[in-house]
């Protein structure tokens, strides 16, 4: 039996004409790996992603090495990438003003900050309350905007929290407003432990829209713990979202949430978008080859269903 290498294109009403894939593999995809990946491998990973047609790639995080040892080579990575690692489409994560200082020293043009919708995760992740974390980010965002940088705000635990359980939608909206009121350009709502479902996605997006944060300002970041990441993403697209976080090969997790599994796989997203006739700019076969290569570096198969199907893993 012959397996098709591409899906048949059958458009569906309500989908955007084009989706921006916000690739998080080099940062979120690798940050939870127990083995520290050599910086040269990370640089090659980024180069392969660029060659595969991904425009927006989050490269690394300027967090203290003791927090996330995997990302302790941020400066070296940017040095290795040179021009490939510059521009507004190469954001980096920063946790505080010191992280911003380091990023500015390397000439970055885009940053992301990461907040929480729940108090427990804020304490676990940033050792601060939600209010205190916003106070910490305020000067970071102001200085970044004054320097002409593009700024994204991540909000984690938007659909559930391993310590607090279900998170009220109003609480999530409040956390999102606090960060967006700082002047951020884009909001990424995160299902950090993968418990969200399509109805929940609709309710949260509608509540954000009612609060003044429209779908044109929102990106979605789903983990696939319960196999819901792609369904949740397609639901968000039908609600007007056109920015989707994904990780090539389905790599990822969260060092502060043990139940979290990998991100939505970029290849799985691309397969679905190709089937819907939605433009995205990525080369599926090049992504699959990249994931197979990275899987060899990590010593295990890629979690992505599409990679396993097309590469025979």
């Amino acid at each position: 039996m012959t397996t098709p290498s591409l899906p048949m294109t059958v458009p569906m009403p309500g989908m955007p004409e084009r989706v921006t894939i916000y690739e998080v593999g080099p940062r979120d995809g690798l940050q939870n790996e127990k083995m520290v990946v050599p910086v040269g491998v990370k640089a090659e990973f980024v180069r392969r992603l660029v060659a595969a047609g991904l425009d927006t790639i989050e490269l690394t995080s300027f967090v203290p090495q003791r927090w996330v040892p995997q990302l302790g080579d941020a400066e070296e990575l940017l040095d290795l990438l040179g021009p490939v690692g510059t521009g507004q489409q190469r954001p980096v994560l920063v946790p505080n003003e010191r992280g911003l200082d380091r990023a500015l020293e390397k000439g970055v043009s885009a940053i992301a900050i990461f907040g929480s919708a729940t108090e427990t995760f804020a304490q676990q992740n940033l050792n601060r309350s939600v209010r205190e974390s916003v106070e910490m980010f305020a000067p970071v965002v102001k200085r970044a905007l004054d320097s002409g940088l593009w700024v994204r705000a991540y909000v984690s635990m938007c659909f559930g929290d391993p310590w607090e359980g279900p998170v009220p939608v109003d609480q999530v909206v409040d956390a999102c407003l606090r960060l967006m009121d700082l002047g951020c350009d884009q909001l990424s709502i995160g299902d950090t432990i993968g418990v969200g479902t399509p109805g929940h996605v609709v309710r949260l997006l509608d509540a954000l829209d009612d609060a003044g944060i429209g779908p044109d300002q929102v990106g979605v970041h789903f983990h696939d713990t319960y196999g819901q990441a792609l369904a949740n993403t397609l639901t968000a697209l039908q609600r007007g979202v056109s920015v989707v976080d994904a990780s090539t090969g389905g790599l990822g997790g969260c060092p502060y949430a043990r139940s979290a599994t990998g991100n939505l796989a970029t290849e799985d997203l691309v397969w679905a978008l190709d089937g819907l006739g939605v433009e995205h700019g990525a080369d599926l076969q090049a992504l699959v080859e990249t994931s197979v290569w990275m899987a060899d570096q990590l010593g295990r198969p890629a979690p992505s269903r599409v990679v396993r199907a097309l590469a025979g893993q």
Side-chain angles (χ1 to χ4, degrees), residues 14-25:
M15 289 291 167
E17 292 185 4
R18 183 179 180 85
V19 162
T20 297
I21 300 174
Y22 188 105
E23 173 65 38
V24 298

Side-chain angles (χ1 to χ4, degrees), residues 88-164:
Q88 188 171 307
Q89 282 70 46
R90 299 291 183 269
V92 300
L93 209 65
V94 299
N96 49 36
E97 286 198 84
R98 175 54 189 145
L100 177 64
D101 289 339
R102 293 171 58 197
L104 289 173
E105 287 171 5
K106 302 309 296 183
V108 305
S109 300
I111 66 163
I113 58 174
F114 51 100
S116 171
T118 67
E119 293 293 343
T120 306
F121 189 69
Q123 290 290 347
Q124 292 284 334
N125 198 18
L126 295 166
N127 198 31
R128 287 170 171 80
S129 68
V130 171
R131 179 185 59 81
E132 290 168 340
S133 66
V134 175
E135 292 172 352
M136 177 181 68
F137 289 133
V140 174
V141 175
K142 184 180 187 305
R143 287 181 54 204
L145 294 175
D146 288 347
S147 298
L149 274 61
W150 180 86
V151 181
R152 170 184 248 218
Y154 281 102
V155 177
S156 299
M157 301 297 174
C158 291
F159 294 85
D161 179 287
W163 299 278
E164 299 184 17

Side-chain angles (χ1 to χ4, degrees), residues 259-284:
S259 60
T261 57
N263 296 280
L264 170 65
T266 308
E267 294 89 348
D268 297 6
L269 172 63
V270 166
W271 179 276
L273 295 179
D274 283 345
L276 291 165
V278 176
E279 296 180 10
H280 51 74
D283 182 321
L284 179 59

Side-chain angles (χ1 to χ4, degrees), residues 23-100:
E23 173 65 38
V24 298
R27 198 275 301 172
D28 196 29
L30 295 180
Q31 72 174 6
N32 206 31
E33 289 294 320
K34 294 180 180 178
M35 176 192 79
V36 175
V37 178
V39 66
V41 171
K42 294 176 184 176
E44 179 62 18
F45 187 30
V46 172
R47 294 188 194 101
R48 289 175 181 244
L49 295 174
V50 172
L54 293 173
D55 289 330
T56 304
I57 304 170
E58 191 168 272
L59 300 176
T60 186
S61 177
F62 283 89
V63 296
Q65 187 170 10
R66 67 182 182 278
W67 288 12
V68 186
Q70 185 67 257
L71 303 178
D73 53 10
E75 282 91 351
E76 187 178 357
L77 175 62
L78 292 182
D79 287 342
L80 285 176
L81 289 172
V84 173
T86 61
Q88 188 171 307
Q89 282 70 46
R90 299 291 183 269
V92 300
L93 209 65
V94 299
N96 49 36
E97 286 198 84
R98 175 54 189 145
L100 177 64

